[in-house]
Amino acid sequence: MTLNSESGTAVRLEKVSFSYGEAPFLFDVEFAASKITAIMGSSGSGKSTLLNLVAGFETPRSGRVLIGGADFGAKPPSARPVSMVFQENNLFAHLSVERNVGLGRSPSLRLTEADHAAVAAALKRVGLAGKQQRLPRELSGGERQRVALARVLVRDRPVLLLDEPFASLGPALRDDMLDLVADVHAERRMTVLFVTHQPEDAHRIGQDMVFLDNATVAATGTVADFFTKAGPEAFRHYIGAGPFGAGSRDVARKRT
Ligand SMILES: Nc1ncnc2c1ncn2[C@@H]1O[C@H](COP(=O)(O)OP(=O)(O)OP(=O)(O)O)[C@@H](O)[C@H]1O
């Protein structure tokens, strides 16, 4: 197994089938180690389901969920080398910022001096130094997502799953948060699977793209290729016209 190796941790869904009882999902796809892969597709195409299969909140009917080469398909979420951030409700309302982050180190919150130091450093890294005693309700939406990212930092897992984490934030704040993710990624080189409906978000921080349609992978490639006229027809149809429509290559990116 190659967790945290220099080459990073690839994630592969190998002929994974799954069903909520009706229409089946079938995923056969690899997410490159240490890259940010944007996952896009229309509502109901299966983006969250795919992340849930990687995280362990859903179990495949058949196939393998390979993380760093080892099959985690039957393992519980807590045993997987993965962190996940959702659109909201990432925090426990009755716990302070500091304790919410501390959960990333110890689910029972038995924290050592080293753990406390790691929590303080992570809060500083995401711009929340001085707010460690606040409750989640005393923070803005963006600050709450920063707390969730701080917890990701102290968990220090090689795979990060982001399920529309900034969808409820305004455009400028969303860009700030995306840049923070890109900076953290540059430091830690986690393998990031990033579900988003926003083409500009995928364009800003994504390197690879996986496009889902109708419960399966319809197209894969680099983000750069997806945003050219040569990008897949189904993707161009999905994003429509506008500044991020097909052929718009001159849009500022955080990183290229
Ligand atoms: N717990 C569940 N029980 C039954 N069906 C579900 C469940 N969760 C999702 N589904 C169905 O599975 C399909 C895929 O859902 P999923 O949430 O993965 O889509 P998505 O691409 O993430 O959508 P969105 O962009 O709207 O978040 C949808 O048809 C949805 O109704």
Side-chain angles (χ1 to χ4, degrees):
M1 186 143 93
T2 55
L3 298 183
N4 276 330
S5 73
E6 258 179 40
S7 55
T9 303
V11 173
R12 175 160 176 68
L13 299 188
E14 191 182 80
K15 294 185 181 147
V16 166
S17 73
F18 174 76
S19 165
Y20 287 115
E22 299 173 14
F25 296 80
L26 184 63
F27 298 121
D28 194 41
V29 62
E30 173 147 348
F31 298 90
S34 302
K35 286 198 175 173
I36 299 178
T37 301
I39 301 173
M40 299 191 72
S42 58
S43 187
S45 59
K47 302 179 297 295
S48 295
T49 303
L50 190 157
L51 288 200
N52 288 337
L53 284 160
V54 176
F57 300 127
E58 303 293 357
T59 306
R61 198 163 54 182
S62 63
R64 301 199 296 165
V65 178
L66 298 165
I67 305 176
D71 186 4
F72 282 83
K75 296 264 168 61
S78 60
R80 300 192 185 200
V82 163
S83 296
M84 189 158 176
V85 179
F86 302 91
Q87 185 172 341
E88 49 198 19
N89 297 325
N90 291 292
L91 308 181
F92 287 95
H94 64 290
L95 295 181
S96 67
V97 163
E98 189 176 40
R99 288 163 79 78
N100 266 291
V101 176
L103 286 172
R105 275 295 162 111
S106 161
S108 60
L109 281 173
R110 281 192 208 97
L111 300 177
T112 64
E113 278 308 305
D115 291 332
H116 282 294
V119 168
L123 284 171
K124 187 167 177 227
R125 178 67 191 84
V126 302
L128 289 181
K131 297 190 174 163
Q132 57 268 32
Q133 298 311 328
R134 294 209 192 170
L135 290 172
R137 66 167 176 270
E138 297 167 333
L139 299 173
S140 69
E143 286 171 335
R144 281 196 287 275
Q145 295 306 69
R146 285 177 194 270
V147 177
L149 283 178
R151 186 163 60 206
V152 165
L153 290 176
V154 302
R155 267 172 72 77
D156 199 23
R157 302 289 157 98
V159 176
L160 173 59
L161 309 176
L162 302 173
D163 196 351
E164 300 192 64
F166 312 129
S168 54
L169 307 179
L173 183 54
R174 223 171 64 220
D175 283 354
D176 286 349
M177 298 300 294
L178 290 168
D179 291 352
L180 178 59
V181 168
D183 289 344
V184 163
H185 174 257
E187 291 161 21
R188 300 278 180 104
R189 310 305 302 174
M190 314 97 103
T191 302
V192 181
L193 278 57
F194 172 39
V195 168
T196 179
H197 275 285
Q198 307 298 331
E200 60 268 39
D201 293 2
H203 194 272
R204 192 174 185 92
I205 67 165
Q207 296 162 321
D208 288 343
M209 176 82 80
V210 166
F211 182 66
L212 302 187
D213 190 26
N214 199 19
T216 196
V217 176
T220 62
T222 64
V223 165
D225 283 350
F226 264 73
F227 283 99
T228 67
K229 284 203 168 81
E233 171 70 29
F235 177 73
R236 285 191 282 142
H237 187 256
Y238 170 69
I239 64 174
F244 288 90
S248 303
R249 308 185 67 171
D250 54 347
V251 188
R253 280 169 60 85
K254 167 71 178 164
R255 293 180 298 124
T256 52

